[in-house]
Amino acid sequence: WIQPNNILFAINSRIDSIITTIKYISKMPATRFTKLALAAVVTLAAGTNALLTNPVRTVITRDIKTPDPVPQSGIDEAVSLMSTGRMYRYNVKDAESSIVSKCEVEIAEYTGHKYCVALNSCGSAIMLMLKCAGLQPGDEVLSNAFTFGAVPSAIEHAGGKAVYVESDYNHCMDVEDLEKKLVEYPNVKYCLISHMRGKLADMDAVKDACDRHDVILLEDCAHSLGVEWKGTHSGHVGKVAAISAQSYKMINSGEGGFLITDDAEVAAKCAVYAGAYEGLAAKHTTVPGPEVFADLPNQIPNYSLRMSAVSAAIIRPQILTLNERREKYNKRYAFVTEQLVERKGHLLSIPVNTPGMTPVHDSLQFNLNHDITDEQVQKFLDETATHGLPVELFGHKSNARNFINWKFAPADQPLPLTAKMLSRACDVRLPLMWDDEDFEDMVDVLCESLDAALAEDDVMA
């Protein structure tokens, strides 16, 4: 016999499945439509047991890792550079002739910063940001407990020691714990805040806390290109910021990064650390004058972390479309989150944007309820992957965003709030190149996978 709860679950699940089937059939040629329509009629006629054991499931065939393509003008400029062989940023007669310098100017104009230095990665930018701000070997650096492993790696690379601040259910640095850590670690001189997945904490409160403790605030804006705080681009509250041009970011050169700042000394040091030896700083546009560089090329090492001209050529046309793409991302994000909350709001929550923040939602995050067991969470992940939508759990034992995996820079005290949040925090990309209909399928796969994960334990979905 079928229990009443199972009947209700079947009805609820089948409504979603029937809608999915109709959408799927409507896209098919007539012959496939006829065959599938007949099969659907037979299945529906077979009764509740058939519905329970043979649900119609949505399957996604698009690649979730699809990166943003390079505009043709960027491809043409990169090919032109390769044809001449002038891919080294300094193999030009002057700054005005440099593709990299032009790219730095355009990035600085977009973010509103005075100085910009192009680098080979955002990890390099973060490491140099710390060194240029004055970090000495062994200095403690406050940083998010929830970020990508490249951030504590950059702290270690610069010679510092990471001290982690809890992250909340909005996936931002927890300001209350920041205050606590500033008191507990009186020798801390730096706070490196990471805007994970483009989510900004209350930056006024963060800056106020740092200022009261004489701590220099630095911003990891790898995920926040295009994101604003109270009408100003992210990266202006702190002394220095870093942005990324890695393949899954808002600008895609495969690898790449930029240090952006209004501090002349920081900009000069960064250019020299990156490889502006002898008089090569003159082939930059967005750096201070020679009086600031002075004897720096002889005083600090050259780490050879420059961006190539090919990377800059690829990036430049993408800067022009940032605002257009931000609008498209946010529109799709609004659709997906509204649908998820409407259909499964009793099982999950969406992180809330901090008031004052203008977002760029190029990916989706949601927190599953803690009533859902660890086993059910894993079942949900398995179901989504099986149906073409691999969902990442930030707290998974293999995830590079889970602080327990940073054995090279381990936490020196428990982080219970972050650990609990990560155990239910899910992450899905929103590929720009997908069609709007693909995001309808994304919602269906997520909802159907939750149904399947919870059904085995007779939980109402």
Side-chain angles (χ1 to χ4, degrees):
W1 289 96
I2 301 172
Q3 298 299 316
N5 279 353
N6 283 346
I7 294 173
L8 290 173
F9 169 71
I11 293 171
N12 180 56
S13 299
R14 284 320 94 224
I15 289 172
D16 284 345
S17 295
I18 291 169
I19 291 171
T20 299
T21 303
I22 291 171
K23 289 194 309 180
Y24 183 58
I25 291 172
S26 68
K27 302 174 186 178
M28 293 183 174
T31 52
R32 290 190 65 196
F33 176 90
T34 302
K35 290 179 181 178
L36 190 56
L38 288 171
V41 170
V42 171
T43 301
L44 292 171
T48 304
N49 280 330
L51 292 173
L52 281 169
T53 57
N54 298 295
V56 178
R57 293 289 298 273
T58 307
V59 177
I60 291 176
T61 57
R62 303 290 297 267
D63 181 7
I64 194 69
K65 296 288 188 179
T66 303
D68 293 357
V70 176
Q72 188 60 48
S73 59
I75 296 172
D76 293 342
E77 189 165 35
V79 170
S80 176
L81 283 167
M82 288 187 281
S83 70
T84 66
R86 294 182 184 275
M87 295 173 283
Y88 174 49
R89 77 162 293 165
Y90 296 130
N91 193 0
V92 291
K93 63 180 181 179
D94 52 36
E96 291 72 24
S97 305
S98 168
I99 297 298
V100 182
S101 292
K102 291 177 182 179
C103 184
E104 290 167 334
V105 168
E106 291 157 358
I107 287 289
E109 288 177 347
Y110 184 81
T111 65
H113 287 86
K114 188 174 183 180
Y115 305 116
C116 176
V117 179
L119 300 160
N120 63 349
S121 74
C122 188
S124 295
I126 296 172
M127 183 273 289
L128 291 184
M129 177 165 63
L130 289 160
K131 291 188 73 68
C132 294
L135 181 80
Q136 296 300 309
D139 281 353
E140 295 170 326
V141 181
L142 293 175
S143 186
N144 306 48
F146 170 48
T147 185
F148 184 53
V151 175
S153 296
I155 295 172
E156 191 275 340
H157 191 183
K161 180 184 185 303
V163 175
Y164 302 113
V165 180
E166 294 269 30
S167 296
D168 62 24
Y169 276 82
N170 294 322
H171 301 181
C172 298
M173 180 179 283
D174 184 81
V175 178
E176 184 177 338
D177 193 57
L178 172 62
E179 295 271 9
K180 177 182 175 182
K181 296 291 169 57
L182 286 166
V183 172
E184 289 182 359
Y185 293 84
N187 295 324
V188 162
K189 298 178 182 177
Y190 307 94
C191 176
L192 171 57
I193 188 168
S194 183
H195 304 315
M196 192 61 178
R197 292 297 188 260
K199 293 172 171 48
L200 273 59
D202 183 337
M203 293 305 295
D204 292 345
V206 170
K207 182 65 163 63
D208 177 67
C210 289
D211 287 350
R212 283 186 281 105
H213 292 269
D214 294 322
V215 167
I216 297 173
L217 178 62
L218 308 170
E219 295 185 61
D220 165 22
C221 298
H223 294 197
S224 66
L225 183 60
V227 177
E228 297 179 356
W229 176 252
K230 295 187 174 179
T232 301
H233 196 282
S234 59
H236 283 274
V237 180
K239 182 176 183 177
V240 197
I243 59 176
S244 176
Q246 189 266 349
S247 189
Y248 298 136
K249 305 302 190 300
M250 286 292 287
I251 47 177
N252 170 21
S253 63
E255 290 286 355
F258 299 86
L259 182 144
I260 46 180
T261 184
D262 291 329
D263 187 287
E265 183 180 359
V266 166
K269 285 183 176 180
C270 180
V272 174
Y273 274 128
Y277 57 90
E278 297 174 347
L280 291 177
K283 295 186 178 182
H284 286 253
T285 302
T286 53
V287 296
E291 70 282 359
V292 180
F293 281 86
D295 195 41
L296 283 176
N298 298 318
Q299 293 181 8
I300 60 178
N302 165 10
Y303 293 143
S304 296
L305 302 174
R306 300 170 290 261
M307 177 179 284
S308 78
V310 172
S311 293
I314 289 170
I315 289 168
R316 290 185 66 205
Q318 297 178 58
I319 300 169
L320 301 175
T321 64
L322 279 168
N323 290 343
E324 175 187 341
R325 287 184 285 130
R326 175 174 64 186
E327 183 178 350
K328 190 171 185 177
Y329 276 127
N330 288 347
K331 181 179 178 181
R332 288 173 166 177
Y333 176 86
F335 168 79
V336 171
T337 53
E338 286 169 7
Q339 290 293 308
L340 282 178
V341 170
E342 180 180 335
R343 292 169 61 175
K344 299 297 174 187
H346 58 298
L347 296 174
L348 56 81
S349 63
I350 307 296
V352 177
N353 291 334
T354 304
M357 167 189 159
T358 302
V360 176
H361 288 303
D362 60 342
S363 60
L364 166 71
Q365 292 76 45
F366 55 91
N367 303 310
L368 296 174
N369 290 0
H370 285 286
D371 291 338
I372 300 174
T373 67
D374 291 346
E375 293 75 17
Q376 290 168 335
V377 171
Q378 186 58 54
K379 176 66 174 173
F380 167 69
L381 300 177
D382 294 341
E383 287 286 335
T384 57
T386 298
H387 293 86
L389 184 69
V391 174
E392 292 195 24
L393 182 73
F394 286 131
H396 195 274
K397 61 183 178 181
S398 64
N399 198 305
R401 299 147 198 87
N402 186 349
F403 67 87
I404 66 168
N405 294 320
W406 304 336
K407 296 180 180 178
F408 57 88
D412 58 6
Q413 61 179 275
L415 296 159
L417 175 61
T418 307
K420 188 174 182 180
M421 178 271 287
L422 292 177
S423 72
R424 295 296 181 272
C426 297
D427 183 42
V428 187
R429 296 191 70 243
L430 301 175
L432 183 73
M433 300 310 295
W434 281 21
D435 299 319
D436 289 343
E437 294 79 8
D438 295 318
F439 295 96
E440 297 175 14
D441 292 339
M442 175 182 286
V443 173
D444 288 337
V445 169
L446 292 171
C447 293
E448 292 165 11
S449 296
L450 268 174
D451 287 342
L454 303 183
E456 292 184 1
D457 295 285
D458 198 26
V459 176
M460 283 295 294

